[in-house]
Amino acid sequence: MIDKMKINFQKRNIDMLWFDSFDEIKKYLLEQIPNNATVGIGNSRTLKSLGITEALVSKGNVVYNKELGATPDEIKELKRKSILVDFYISSANAISVDGRIVNIDHSGNRVAAITYGPEKVYIVVGKNKISATCDEAVRRARNTAAPMNAKRAGYNPPCVLAGHCVDCLSPERVCNIISIIEGQHIKGRLALLIANEDAGF
């Protein structure tokens, strides 16, 4: 399956690397990102458990992560600045064996940065995010990731109680923007890093 995925992502101009652990991914990222580079971080349970923000700050990088903001205005500004950086690191709600990357966003800053802006983008996921097809990846993002992320963020749309998407129009809806990365036109810009471990939603 790993070899099949690599071929499918390669056809779409997306690099895919397989690691035994998240510790190996963290080491790889710290080696790849120069000390003088600016780095944006997409809010993610996976990346928080990785501790990549703290490691990059300790290394001397300028890091834009909304979790470093103390007020709503600071958070908004950090989200804006994270779009125009040298490197951007995010996770994904699901990936598919056939070569797609699926994300559902509340405000859209994460999918915006993945799509355009940063010179280099790394998507970090665990093997639990792998789905067989794009349709299954979207279902996973809607029905597994979105309700759990809503609860984590302190929102209470109907999916939190139902445990799956009900296609609501709640003001607390978190699945406002769905992004499916089908390919990348700039060779080497987008890399998918997969750990042989489970993490995140």
Side-chain angles (χ1 to χ4, degrees), residues 26-179:
K26 182 177 180 179
K27 181 181 178 183
Y28 175 81
L29 288 171
L30 294 174
E31 290 172 348
Q32 295 299 307
I33 298 173
N35 294 357
N36 62 346
T38 56
V39 185
I41 304 289
N43 189 30
S44 157
R45 174 64 65 87
T46 300
L47 295 181
K48 183 180 270 190
S49 65
L50 202 64
I52 191 64
T53 296
E54 296 81 2
L56 287 166
V57 169
S58 296
K59 198 161 76 85
N61 294 99
V62 175
V63 179
Y64 300 113
N65 180 342
K66 77 171 195 174
E67 293 194 338
L68 299 176
T71 67
D73 285 343
E74 286 183 11
I75 291 169
K76 181 179 179 181
E77 187 63 16
L78 286 166
K79 287 164 75 172
R80 286 168 56 87
K81 287 182 176 179
S82 71
I83 295 173
L84 296 176
V85 291
D86 300 317
F87 292 83
Y88 190 78
I89 306 171
S90 180
S91 189
N93 297 128
I95 61 172
S96 63
V97 173
D98 57 11
R100 275 85 164 201
I101 301 170
V102 177
N103 275 301
I104 290 183
D105 259 17
H106 182 214
S107 63
N109 63 297
R110 188 172 58 127
V111 298
I114 292 170
T115 305
Y116 186 83
E119 293 294 317
K120 178 76 177 185
V121 176
Y122 292 107
I123 306 293
V124 179
V125 298
K127 62 181 174 58
N128 56 310
K129 303 287 185 74
I130 300 173
S131 300
T133 66
C134 184
D135 286 344
E136 289 182 21
V138 172
R139 279 195 292 272
R140 185 193 190 283
R142 282 186 178 277
N143 296 297
T144 301
M148 296 178 76
N149 276 318
K151 186 175 181 180
R152 173 179 65 92
Y155 293 103
N156 194 37
C159 65
V160 170
L161 181 61
H164 59 82
C165 178
V166 297
D167 196 20
C168 74
L169 294 176
S170 166
E172 297 202 338
R173 175 185 175 117
V174 298
C175 50
N176 291 316
I177 299 155
I178 298 178
S179 164

